[in-house]
C-alpha cells in the first residue's frame, strides 16, 4: 500500500499540494501546518490513514438505491458475514 501522506495531509487541511511540492522543505512545511491545525505529525497521520483504509467501503442501499461511501466493519450473523456502516455519506451522482 502506497500513501502519499503529504498530499493526504494537504487534502485534509484544505491546501493545494502543488503549492508546496516543489519546495525543498515541502514535508516540513506541510507537517508544521498539520501540527498547528490538528496537533499531529505526518507519522501519526500516516498510521491513522493506514488503519482506516481497510475499513473504507462503497455500497448501494437495497431499499433506496442510493450509493454510499464510508467506514464499515464486518460482523458475523449466524453463518453470514455482513458489513455494518460505522460512518457513511451519500455519494452524489
Amino acid at each position: 500500500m502506497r500513501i502519499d501522506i503529504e498530499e493526504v495531509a494537504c487534502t485534509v487541511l484544505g491546501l493545494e499540494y502543488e503549492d508546496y511540492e516543489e519546495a525543498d522543505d515541502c514535508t516540513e512545511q506541510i507537517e508544521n501546518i498539520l501540527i498547528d491545525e490538528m496537533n499531529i505529525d505526518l507519522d501519526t497521520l500516516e498510521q491513522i490513514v493506514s488503519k482506516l483504509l481497510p475499513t473504507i467501503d462503497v455500497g448501494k442501499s437495497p431499499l433506496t438505491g442510493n450509493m454510499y461511501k464510508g467506514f464499515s466493519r464486518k460482523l458475523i450473523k449466524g453463518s453470514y458475514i455482513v458489513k455494518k456502516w460505522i460512518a457513511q455519506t451519500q455519494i452524489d451522482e
Side-chain angles (χ1 to χ4, degrees):
M1 172 173 39
R2 182 190 163 282
I3 300 172
D4 186 346
I5 200 61
E6 290 90 355
E7 195 162 359
V8 170
C10 284
T11 300
V12 168
L13 294 166
L15 304 172
E16 293 295 328
Y17 178 68
E18 292 74 19
D19 293 344
Y20 297 89
E21 69 179 332
E22 298 298 324
D24 290 336
D25 61 345
C26 169
T27 301
E28 184 179 336
Q29 285 185 43
I30 294 168
E31 184 165 52
N32 287 338
I33 297 168
L34 183 64
I35 290 168
D36 289 344
E37 295 286 323
M38 302 191 80
N39 201 31
I40 60 171
D41 59 19
L42 286 171
D43 288 337
T44 303
L45 179 62
E46 188 166 17
Q47 289 176 11
I48 292 167
V49 169
S50 294
K51 291 190 181 278
L52 286 175
L53 278 173
T55 71
I56 293 174
D57 221 337
V58 175
K60 186 175 187 176
S61 168
L63 296 175
T64 65
N66 295 334
M67 293 294 295
Y68 293 91
K69 63 182 175 183
F71 301 107
S72 68
R73 67 183 181 106
K74 291 180 182 175
L75 297 171
I76 298 173
K77 292 211 173 194
S79 59
Y80 298 99
I81 296 176
V82 296
K83 292 184 180 179
K84 177 185 179 219
W85 287 113
I86 300 168
Q88 73 197 50
T89 187
Q90 187 170 334
I91 299 173
D92 296 325
E93 294 183 43

